[in-house]
Amino acid sequence: MRKVGPLLKHRVDSKVLKARPKEVELFYRSPEYERWRAIVIARAGGRCEAITNGQRCTKAQPVHRMFADHKIERSDGGAPLDPANGQCLCGSHHTLKTVQARASRLARPSRGGGGIKSLAP
């Protein structure tokens, strides 16, 4: 296993290959979204609302960046501008919640393909 390096004939130069910049949806630049975001974060007192082992996360503004997260994601039919569908999360909890929601979405059967399908008859 140690000698795998010499077997690789082509190496990727990370200075040459650059990731495309993330494109932000116009929705997230709208004044309506900015108002919703401000309401959600202010309602939480600028502190992460995630609960882990019965304890609320201690991360808060201004030390930590807070995200206004849709409890039910817009792509799953969640209300985009209803404050009741919002929660304030720190970066790590927002990432964790988003990854779990995407995994759940991919695991369920979808309209027109995708998802995990059973091979049983």
Side-chain angles (χ1 to χ4, degrees):
M1 280 293 201
R2 283 190 217 145
K3 299 195 181 207
V4 171
L7 297 175
L8 298 175
K9 293 180 182 177
H10 304 284
R11 293 183 185 235
V12 175
D13 184 355
S14 62
K15 294 177 188 170
V16 175
L17 295 176
K18 301 287 182 194
R20 289 185 297 155
K22 182 178 178 181
E23 294 181 25
V24 178
E25 285 183 56
L26 290 178
F27 169 79
Y28 293 109
R29 295 179 187 251
S30 71
E32 295 82 9
Y33 172 77
E34 287 298 325
R35 278 193 294 278
W36 176 83
R37 181 182 183 280
I39 290 167
V40 169
I41 292 174
R43 183 184 62 203
R47 182 175 164 203
C48 180
E49 295 181 276
I51 306 293
T52 305
N53 297 325
Q55 299 291 316
R56 183 173 174 186
C57 180
T58 59
K59 292 181 183 177
Q61 292 178 331
V63 176
H64 299 278
R65 181 176 174 196
M66 293 295 118
F67 293 81
D69 174 73
H70 289 94
K71 293 177 184 178
I72 300 172
E73 293 193 9
R74 293 172 48 230
S75 57
D76 292 329
L81 298 172
D82 182 356
N85 188 36
Q87 62 185 343
C88 178
L89 296 177
C90 66
S92 58
H93 283 115
H94 181 258
T95 299
L96 180 64
K97 187 259 179 186
T98 300
V99 167
Q100 289 172 342
R102 286 181 183 161
S104 176
R105 192 177 310 118
L106 290 172
R108 69 177 179 247
S110 66
R111 296 165 284 206
I116 298 172
K117 296 180 181 175
S118 171
L119 298 178

